[in-house]
Amino acid sequence: MPDTGHMIVPDTKDWTWVLDQACPDCGLDTTAIDAPDVAGRLRANATAWRALLTAPGDLRRRPNPDVWSPLEYACHVRDACRIFSTRLDLMLTKDDPLFANWDQDSTALAEHYNDQDPAQVAVELADAAAALALGFEQVSGAQWQRTGRRSDGARFTVETFARYFIHDPVHHLYDVTGRG
């Protein structure tokens, strides 16, 4: 099946609002999450993605031409884990780093998300999630208050960064299964 990622309208919403209120779609309330608990939540989420990616079914089929397929969402979650691992390392080793921009839509096209092997993506997503979870588990004490920022002006502490991040894989699992 050809990669049809060019039909996706880029998401330009500033999702940092999930730090202040529950998501009306997936139901996750990050205000109720303790940042040290993100690692366990991420591992559980990665297990659900692995089950999805190894189950029978057409993982490449989009529900609508302008909505990613389950495989495309899984590739995005894998890459988000990788990007956030890099950003977490920057926050812990540099003073108030400015994160490099990441265009998730361009990445989906360039990497041909919908043409990737679901079994390989399952392994890569699990590995990326495990690495990020380990990174969060190693944070302690005052490190939770270290800062980093995006080029759009959004500022995070490691604590808010962890809570902000976990919404992404949870929300995208909801996108493809109807369950967070």
Side-chain angles (χ1 to χ4, degrees):
M1 170 180 229
D3 186 337
T4 57
H6 64 280
M7 295 180 186
I8 299 292
V9 175
D11 181 1
T12 58
K13 188 186 299 184
D14 178 1
W15 286 90
T16 56
W17 59 265
V18 301
L19 291 170
D20 300 318
Q21 63 188 36
C23 179
D25 297 324
C26 71
L28 185 66
D29 183 358
T30 67
T31 67
I33 295 174
D34 290 325
D37 296 337
V38 166
R41 286 174 177 262
L42 178 53
R43 284 193 173 93
N45 180 271
T47 298
W49 278 106
R50 184 177 199 107
L52 176 87
L53 290 166
T54 57
D58 186 0
L59 298 172
R60 298 175 200 284
R61 187 180 68 72
R62 289 181 169 180
N64 294 302
D66 63 342
V67 175
W68 277 351
S69 69
L71 179 57
E72 289 169 306
Y73 274 118
C75 290
H76 166 75
V77 169
R78 173 203 58 205
D79 289 352
C81 288
R82 290 172 174 170
I83 295 291
F84 275 70
S85 285
T86 298
R87 289 176 176 182
L88 176 61
D89 182 61
L90 285 171
M91 292 175 79
L92 295 174
T93 60
K94 307 282 184 205
D95 288 333
D96 197 33
L98 176 64
F99 305 138
N101 287 330
W102 177 43
D103 184 331
Q104 61 193 19
D105 300 298
S106 293
T107 302
L109 285 171
E111 299 297 321
H112 303 279
Y113 278 179
N114 221 25
D115 296 330
Q116 294 189 24
D117 174 29
Q120 183 65 35
V121 172
V123 170
E124 292 169 353
L125 190 155
D127 290 348
L132 181 55
L134 181 61
F136 283 131
E137 285 174 337
Q138 293 175 340
V139 175
S140 65
Q143 288 180 314
W144 286 107
Q145 297 311 308
R146 292 188 59 85
T147 60
R149 56 204 158 85
R150 291 190 319 213
S151 62
D152 66 358
R155 300 184 71 82
F156 298 93
T157 62
V158 173
E159 184 265 333
T160 60
F161 180 79
R163 291 190 303 107
Y164 171 76
F165 168 78
I166 197 59
H167 176 258
D168 193 71
V170 168
H171 190 98
H172 292 319
L173 188 61
Y174 171 81
D175 285 333
V176 300
T177 67
R179 299 182 314 275

